[in-house]
Amino acid sequence: MRELAAFVGSSALALASAAQAQTAAPPADAVDPAADAAPLAEGDIVVTAQRRTESLRDVPIAITVVNGQSIRETGATQLADITQRAPSLNFTATPGVPNFAIRGVGTNSFDYGIESAVGIAVDDVNITLPRFVPLNSLADVERVEVLRGPQGLLFGKNTTAGLISITTARPKLGERSSSGRVQAGSRDQVQAQAVVNLPIASNAALRVSGGYQYQKPSTQLIGPGRLDPARRYFGTAKLLWEPTDRLSLYAIADYQNNSGIEAYSTIRRFGGNDPTPIPAAFRPFAPPNFVRVQNSALGVIASPTNNKTAIGSTNVLRDERSFGAQLSASYDAGALTITSVTAYRDLNARANNDVDQTPVAFFDTNIANSQSYQLSEELRVSNNGSGFVDYTAGLYFFRQQIDAQILQAGTFGVFPASAPLRLSPINGQSNFDYGTKSYAGFAQLTFNVSPQLKLIAGGRYTWDDINSTTNVTAVPGVCNLVTFLLSGGGRCVGTLAAPLIANRKADGLSARVGIEYAIAPTANLYATYTRGYKGPAVSSAAGIAFGVDPENVDAYEIGAKLDLADRRVSLNIAGFINNFRDFQAQVFDPALNGELGTFRTGNASELRTRGVEAEAVVRPLSGVSLTGGVTYLDTRYGDYNVACYFGQTAAQGCSLPGPSFNAAGSPLVGASKWTTSLAANVDQPINDDLKVFVNADWRYRSSFYYAINDPSTIQDGYSLVNATIGIGDINDHARFSVFVRNLFDKRYAAAIYPGNFSAGQYVQTLPDNAFRRIGAAFEWRFLP
């Protein structure tokens, strides 16, 4: 805390000193810094991928831009829905561990201290809290930029695969307005959101937004338990104050409350022989093949389209509460702009899953609670206008604290569900205390060698300090499974190990060099090399700590950005090769949890992705736009030993201790070879007062694995189509529309993984978007 206070203090002092100097003696040639920037023409797509406002065409980074309004019109309700218009971006809705991947690379880890290789930034602030995806609602989102390839140089830390940068609407000075949307859809979906913009002075404005979402789970529960509907509340207040022509202060505070679930896991395929390590004689209340017996008795038919779950001995729980606040201060000092961004966010989360997939209380308690917060301060400077050298440089401080508690327990069939005693694979509750401090300095320079030629060079030095403490505490009414069985029920809890302390310190370098050449006023070619760095971590599982080494990537990219036919056609093409070393990946360790096994995070020696992306925007007429994209992706693991999958033979590689196999040469999990998308937006008047609008999109993914090389986890290729048609007044004061999501009701899995207690059993999650939804919406926008 003292480090942050000192950093914030120095930032505020620098801004205040500059403001005082400017007020005392303003230069005669003081001008708006935007006036000297490269002019933006009508039709240019604006991005801030290099921490300054630029045309998409002039940024030598592969970027997909998704307009907030266009995605809302399709009935989308959460950030993950932007994948429909970003072919290189994918989302895996694993229960409790949501995960984005860019160009096939993401970090799917159950560990609290492992940050994702795909960063998420909201209004200039990176969000790294564990198992949390901000902005479940897309209300008041202006645009989303998907930056592909390593972005850790300018955006916080650890973004080795890419970044999702979300920009929400800022308060508007001098404007009194309100807008909102009410949406209702099939399967009991309701959504309402509203935004109010109020001027509170000639140089200050307040913008307040809030909303509510409700929908029932798409999964059909036939057991005795409960799946609560998803409920989301959110509220945001933003204050913009410009006390002088040079100083701007922008404060944001928000609160999010998410509870319930949209979908839950179901059985895709029943297994055969019972692999449970507890002999059947010691578990009379869970006979062999109890998973199949219990589910079949309730009418569950396992299949890739099965949407029935028979869980129920314990209610499934999801509950998240998050508060965030930030202050951005920007001062125009003439030749340069000084910016300070100070941010805080916390998260309290609770979850419980039924592990055994039956109404039997075999392993029905999997409680995970966490309390976490993050603090960050970034101070940066950038030049105004454009000279021989354009630059952005800064200092960054980050601190995160995570406290988590995990309790896994059940009867394990040893006694009936009515018994007050529960058994745990370990001695009770695992407790994690995980703290991170990170310091960085960075700079990026662009040398404008000629009107056509630019050279780019930049670097970032990062130092990480991690402190981790793991221990196990006894819980009343919970016995250690192994101790209880080996003692014939005579002993309950074994010897509790002393707290395990594991600290890590490491430093790393991110870098970027490149060249950009304008072959015409609206056509640029570029080539870049980027070195990405993701800091070390400590993986905690079953009361044991494992060190995780830093992750590095060498990324090579060439591309072209072209605006053609008087800017009616935009074409962006990129080719890339990314070579990762010590990739932080999820592994299953069969020796943990009393040989029941559990997941932890380790390092794959290397992996490689390479491919080609192309995106185009066509504007044939006023009010008509067509966008499309295609990504070809080739991915391969290097040397990486993972647990064998069910049925894998020695001839298929299952010949290493564990048993395990070397995944070298295998495609990455979740990586489709081909992904394509198309979208159309039409907004046309039908008379002097009314107009009609149509919004549609289509996305296709080719087949991919959910587990390395496991043929039982292949998700076949599928397409999704969304469409909207509506009518509104010519000035958009009121609009009414009807929409359909997943028009052809295409079933697909958001996750496929082996079951725990039946050899050959596989479990899946069919997400809410795997089911058709038809609905209607009313939108309004009032100006004085």
Side-chain angles (χ1 to χ4, degrees):
M1 184 69 74
R2 287 178 298 183
E3 297 94 333
L4 179 67
F7 210 163
V8 173
S10 64
S11 303
L13 181 61
L15 287 166
S17 301
Q20 185 178 20
Q22 182 62 48
T23 303
D29 59 347
V31 294
D32 183 348
D36 287 338
L40 296 173
E42 182 178 357
D44 276 354
I45 299 174
V46 174
V47 296
T48 55
Q50 296 190 121
R51 298 291 202 180
R52 59 176 70 223
T53 301
E54 299 173 285
S55 168
L56 173 63
R57 181 190 61 252
D58 296 327
V59 179
I61 300 172
I63 308 171
T64 300
V65 181
V66 181
N67 176 272
Q69 175 64 23
S70 66
I71 192 68
R72 283 192 296 271
E73 285 181 354
T74 66
T77 60
Q78 54 189 319
L79 181 60
D81 292 328
I82 66 173
T83 58
Q84 191 72 3
R85 300 195 177 199
S88 290
L89 177 69
N90 290 308
F91 180 76
T92 301
T94 306
V97 194
N99 173 51
F100 282 101
I102 291 178
R103 291 175 171 172
V105 179
T107 304
N108 188 9
S109 174
F110 292 95
D111 269 300
Y112 284 98
I114 307 298
E115 294 184 25
S116 175
V118 176
I120 298 178
V122 181
D123 290 323
D124 232 15
V125 175
N126 278 49
I127 309 298
T128 64
L129 296 177
R131 308 185 185 187
F132 177 63
V133 175
L135 288 179
N136 276 313
S137 169
L138 293 170
D140 216 26
V141 169
E142 185 175 279
R143 69 181 183 276
V144 180
E145 301 172 25
V146 181
L147 282 60
R148 309 192 289 275
Q151 302 298 324
L153 176 60
L154 294 178
F155 282 92
K157 59 196 296 283
N158 292 351
T159 53
T160 50
L163 177 81
I164 302 170
S165 179
I166 303 152
T167 302
T168 65
R170 291 167 64 96
K172 298 179 180 178
L173 298 178
E175 178 181 299
R176 185 183 305 272
S177 63
S178 69
S179 61
R181 178 182 174 94
V182 177
Q183 174 178 312
S186 54
R187 296 186 282 113
D188 297 315
Q189 185 206 56
V190 176
Q191 175 175 299
Q193 56 200 42
V195 181
V196 176
N197 194 98
L198 298 172
I200 56 178
S202 61
N203 60 353
L206 176 68
R207 190 175 185 91
V208 179
S209 62
Y212 170 74
Q213 296 179 1
Y214 172 93
Q215 65 187 62
K216 287 185 177 179
S218 58
T219 309
Q220 181 182 351
L221 177 65
I222 58 175
R226 190 179 72 210
L227 298 177
D228 288 335
R231 291 183 174 90
R232 303 184 181 111
Y233 308 84
F234 65 93
T236 304
K238 308 174 188 176
L239 176 64
L240 176 62
W241 180 34
E242 297 181 350
T244 73
D245 292 340
R246 299 299 184 98
L247 179 63
S248 174
L249 301 175
Y250 181 31
I252 305 174
D254 74 89
Y255 174 77
Q256 299 182 43
N257 185 319
N258 304 324
S259 63
I261 64 167
E262 291 187 349
Y264 197 67
S265 53
T266 64
I267 296 179
R268 185 180 182 91
R269 190 180 83 187
F270 284 128
N273 297 326
D274 189 344
T276 305
I278 306 170
F282 293 101
R283 49 182 177 90
F285 297 96
N289 297 320
F290 72 95
V291 176
R292 178 192 292 268
V293 171
Q294 291 286 336
N295 279 271
S296 297
L298 291 172
V300 172
I301 300 175
S303 75
T305 59
N306 170 37
N307 196 40
K308 295 181 179 180
T309 184
I311 60 168
S313 56
T314 297
N315 294 329
V316 171
L317 173 68
R318 297 278 195 282
D319 189 10
E320 293 180 344
R321 293 178 175 86
S322 178
F323 169 77
Q326 68 183 77
L327 174 63
S328 299
S330 180
Y331 182 73
D332 171 20
L336 56 85
T337 294
I338 306 170
T339 303
S340 169
V341 182
T342 307
Y344 167 86
R345 177 165 292 279
D346 62 30
L347 172 67
N348 287 279
R350 300 184 301 153
N352 183 52
N353 294 318
D354 189 320
V355 181
D356 56 59
Q357 295 292 139
T358 75
V360 175
F362 189 89
F363 198 165
D364 62 337
T365 299
N366 187 22
I367 298 173
N369 297 332
S370 66
Q371 308 82 41
S372 55
Y373 73 86
Q374 67 174 70
L375 290 164
S376 63
E377 165 63 27
E378 183 172 80
L379 177 65
R380 64 177 185 267
V381 295
S382 58
N383 68 297
N384 293 326
S386 182
F388 176 70
V389 179
D390 295 333
Y391 59 87
T392 297
L395 300 172
Y396 179 79
F397 169 77
F398 172 85
R399 178 174 181 176
Q400 182 169 268
Q401 179 66 41
I402 304 169
D403 294 310
Q405 307 83 39
I406 295 178
L407 175 63
Q408 296 180 318
T411 68
F412 287 90
V414 176
F415 28 75
S418 58
L421 195 65
R422 287 294 183 267
L423 301 173
S424 170
I426 57 177
N427 280 321
Q429 177 176 282
S430 297
N431 306 287
F432 310 105
D433 182 340
Y434 198 95
T436 301
K437 291 181 181 178
S438 182
Y439 307 83
F442 60 90
Q444 177 171 294
L445 308 177
T446 300
F447 299 91
N448 300 301
V449 179
S450 72
Q452 293 78 34
L453 179 62
K454 297 180 180 180
L455 301 178
I456 304 150
R460 183 187 191 98
Y461 173 78
T462 302
W463 186 79
D464 293 308
D465 184 0
I466 298 172
N467 298 283
S468 172
T469 301
T470 303
N471 70 343
V472 177
T473 55
V475 177
V478 177
C479 290
N480 177 261
L481 172 64
V482 176
T483 300
F484 185 83
L485 291 179
L486 291 179
S487 66
R491 294 178 57 210
C492 186
V493 177
T495 302
L496 292 173
L500 180 62
I501 299 175
N503 300 329
R504 298 293 305 273
K505 295 182 180 180
D507 59 355
L509 180 66
S510 302
R512 187 166 186 255
V513 295
I515 183 171
E516 182 179 8
Y517 187 78
I519 57 175
T522 60
N524 292 332
L525 305 178
Y526 70 91
T528 61
Y529 162 76
T530 306
R531 185 182 192 275
Y533 171 81
K534 186 165 179 272
V538 176
S539 174
S540 299
I544 302 174
F546 303 87
V548 182
D549 292 333
E551 172 182 308
N552 294 280
V553 58
D554 293 310
Y556 307 87
E557 181 171 311
I558 59 172
K561 297 190 175 186
L562 315 171
D563 285 340
L564 309 171
D566 196 25
R567 300 178 187 267
R568 288 193 296 270
V569 177
S570 297
L571 177 62
N572 301 326
I573 303 173
F576 60 89
I577 298 175
N578 295 338
N579 296 322
F580 286 80
R581 300 182 307 282
D582 294 319
F583 181 73
Q584 296 171 358
Q586 188 92 319
V587 298
F588 183 80
D589 192 330
L592 299 178
N593 261 353
E595 296 189 354
L596 289 175
T598 193
F599 289 96
R600 66 176 180 87
T601 304
N603 290 98
S605 63
E606 61 183 32
L607 62 86
R608 183 193 67 185
T609 67
R610 59 183 180 182
V612 178
E613 303 160 324
E615 295 182 330
V617 180
V618 180
R619 310 172 189 89
L621 302 169
S622 176
V624 179
S625 66
L626 304 172
T627 62
V630 58
T631 296
Y632 169 78
L633 188 61
D634 178 48
T635 66
R636 292 288 182 269
Y637 286 105
D639 289 334
Y640 178 31
N641 291 348
V642 296
C644 295
Y645 55 83
F646 173 74
Q648 186 178 11
T649 65
Q652 293 171 318
C654 185
S655 57
L656 302 177
S660 61
F661 73 100
N662 191 329
S666 303
L668 268 62
V669 168
S672 295
K673 189 171 287 292
W674 290 96
T675 308
T676 58
S677 66
L678 290 173
N681 291 275
V682 178
D683 196 320
Q684 294 292 309
I686 53 178
N687 57 38
D688 291 340
D689 299 315
L690 297 175
K691 65 178 179 178
V692 65
F693 59 93
V694 178
N695 189 323
D697 56 46
W698 166 79
R699 187 178 198 251
Y700 167 75
R701 288 188 69 183
S702 62
S703 62
F704 58 92
Y705 288 95
Y706 272 118
I708 298 176
N709 272 11
D710 187 344
S712 297
T713 67
I714 293 176
Q715 168 60 56
D716 293 334
Y718 62 93
S719 294
L720 294 179
V721 177
N722 305 318
T724 299
I725 185 169
I727 190 170
D729 73 285
I730 204 73
N731 294 313
D732 284 330
H733 291 150
R735 293 155 61 99
F736 175 79
S737 61
V738 293
F739 66 86
V740 57
R741 296 190 61 80
N742 193 350
L743 174 64
F744 300 106
D745 203 26
K746 177 62 182 178
R747 298 290 184 272
Y748 67 95
I752 305 172
Y753 49 94
N756 290 286
F757 303 109
S758 181
Q761 173 189 326
Y762 282 85
V763 178
Q764 65 190 357
T765 300
L766 302 183
D768 180 77
N769 282 342
F771 300 84
R772 181 190 296 120
R773 171 171 282 122
I774 300 173
F778 174 74
E779 297 176 84
W780 71 89
R781 183 169 67 92
F782 295 137
L783 295 169

